[in-house]
Amino acid sequence: MRRQVLVMGLGMLGLAAGVHAGNASGGNAVHSVTDWLSRVEAAPRKHNYIGTMVVSAGAGAMSSARIWHACTADLQVERVDALTGPARSSLRRDDRVVTLLPDQKLVRIERHDALGRFPDLLRSTGAAIADFYGVRPAGTERVAGFEADVVQLAPKDAHRFGYRVWTERRTGLVVKLQTLGHEGGVLEQAAFSELQLDVPLRPEKLIRMMTPPAGWRVERNEAVKTTAAAEGWQLKPGVPGFEAMDCYRRGEAAGAMHCVFSDGIAAVSLFVEPAQPGKPTREGVLAAGATHTLMRRLQDWTITAVGEVPPQTLRTFVQSLERRP
């Protein structure tokens, strides 16, 4: 889950009981977390946009991407072109993702749920989120030329990070997001450096770009929905507030899977796959900005937990997984 700009999770935030945020007609206050959740989640379903997003994460690491987002009442289509690193374009139509790798003349086609996409990580009620995050207004600022309301979310325990979120005042679209460590420092930031709202962009134009170019190699990875129990695994009670959202079978090996958990704001992915014979698992924790990765060997399996959460949270997830006899 590290991490194209497409799945930044920017839209996962937008909550504040009693926080001011003008609605589309301008100037009215939103009085509940649920109102904020509904408004922020609805923004990319109602507004087309084109913009450049810049992501910075520790030690000067920085990446950027150009994003095209088109929507209708029942359809969302996005294209994201990496502007740094190897050439890469990703296009998504609902649950179908096509990734173009020009240097390899390779097309990867996947089908999976949209959890983690802008802004579909938001899958919890305002009341549930308020159990684990304190929310308060933090003023207004301009981002990419737009007036934005700022909201601060502080975790109520050590299992999750804090956030600061900027939402464009008229539409409710999230235009900037900071992930904050327990001391309040910025672990990672994603923000539009340039943004055009409500542009005349039709989804059909982006859909046509999803056709693999002639002569390119095509790889398909069609994920199949499943459950941990169906794959032979048992999950003991884990981190408070995190609920199982989706689980997919990975590859042909029985027991290989990818499960996603969320507390309504943050998400954790748990990957399970057969260990490669004769190849030791490099156990330990890796960090990239706010995202941590934890690997562990369990019998003949390699378990990898990835999430924008503290390392101890990942350890709890990994330790909660057991192979059923």
Side-chain angles (χ1 to χ4, degrees), residues 71-153:
C71 62
T72 62
D74 56 359
L75 176 67
Q76 290 190 77
V77 185
E78 294 171 333
R79 176 182 175 122
V80 178
D81 286 359
L83 301 180
T84 51
R88 180 189 185 100
S89 297
S90 294
L91 297 105
R92 182 192 289 269
R93 176 184 180 179
D94 296 329
D95 65 347
R96 186 169 185 260
V97 181
V98 175
T99 303
L100 307 175
L101 302 170
D103 294 344
Q104 305 175 48
K105 291 191 175 182
L106 173 65
V107 180
R108 292 197 177 112
I109 300 176
E110 301 174 279
R111 189 178 297 276
H112 51 72
D113 191 80
L115 182 66
R117 190 187 66 182
F118 182 65
D120 288 331
L121 187 54
L122 210 53
R123 292 193 181 187
S124 183
T125 65
I129 290 174
D131 288 341
F132 300 99
Y133 294 90
V135 187
R136 65 175 179 83
T140 60
E141 292 182 12
R142 281 169 56 84
V143 177
F146 293 90
E147 291 293 329
D149 295 289
V150 189
V151 173
Q152 183 102 7
L153 293 94

Side-chain angles (χ1 to χ4, degrees), residues 25-282:
S25 61
N28 292 333
V30 176
H31 294 294
S32 74
V33 174
T34 302
D35 286 345
W36 259 82
L37 291 172
S38 298
R39 185 167 182 266
V40 172
E41 185 180 19
R45 304 179 190 279
K46 295 180 179 180
H47 301 278
N48 293 348
Y49 59 84
I50 301 173
T52 300
M53 186 181 292
V54 179
V55 181
S56 55
M62 183 174 292
S63 61
S64 61
R66 187 71 171 165
I67 302 177
W68 293 259
H69 175 95
C71 62
T72 62
D74 56 359
L75 176 67
Q76 290 190 77
V77 185
E78 294 171 333
R79 176 182 175 122
V80 178
D81 286 359
L83 301 180
T84 51
R88 180 189 185 100
S89 297
S90 294
L91 297 105
R92 182 192 289 269
R93 176 184 180 179
D94 296 329
D95 65 347
R96 186 169 185 260
V97 181
V98 175
T99 303
L100 307 175
L101 302 170
D103 294 344
Q104 305 175 48
K105 291 191 175 182
L106 173 65
V107 180
R108 292 197 177 112
I109 300 176
E110 301 174 279
R111 189 178 297 276
H112 51 72
D113 191 80
L115 182 66
R117 190 187 66 182
F118 182 65
D120 288 331
L121 187 54
L122 210 53
R123 292 193 181 187
S124 183
T125 65
I129 290 174
D131 288 341
F132 300 99
Y133 294 90
V135 187
R136 65 175 179 83
T140 60
E141 292 182 12
R142 281 169 56 84
V143 177
F146 293 90
E147 291 293 329
D149 295 289
V150 189
V151 173
Q152 183 102 7
L153 293 94
K156 293 184 178 181
D157 58 33
H159 295 303
R160 54 210 99 222
F161 291 133
Y163 299 91
R164 190 179 294 119
V165 58
W166 287 251
T167 54
E168 198 275 326
R169 177 162 291 183
R170 179 179 64 86
T171 62
L173 187 74
V174 175
V175 292
K176 181 177 177 179
L177 171 70
Q178 291 179 341
T179 305
L180 309 176
H182 290 146
E183 301 300 321
V186 177
L187 300 176
E188 186 166 300
Q189 174 176 291
F192 283 108
S193 61
E194 177 272 331
L195 178 64
Q196 303 169 57
L197 281 173
D198 295 321
V199 293
L201 179 63
R202 297 185 60 82
E204 293 79 10
K205 181 177 180 180
L206 298 180
I207 290 173
R208 288 194 294 270
M209 298 179 185
M210 299 179 76
T211 303
W216 286 33
R217 184 163 52 94
V218 177
E219 293 181 354
R220 298 181 182 272
N221 181 17
E222 302 289 338
V224 178
K225 281 203 171 187
T226 185
T227 65
E231 301 305 316
W233 294 95
Q234 176 179 331
L235 283 164
K236 298 183 295 184
V239 180
F242 280 85
E243 299 179 0
M245 307 305 297
D246 292 297
C247 193
Y248 303 96
R249 183 181 304 120
R250 292 174 57 83
E252 301 298 324
M257 65 180 186
H258 170 204
C259 294
V260 182
F261 304 83
S262 175
D263 66 355
I265 301 294
V268 170
S269 280
L270 207 57
F271 298 90
V272 179
E273 57 189 352
Q276 298 183 25
K279 185 177 180 180
T281 299
R282 297 178 61 183

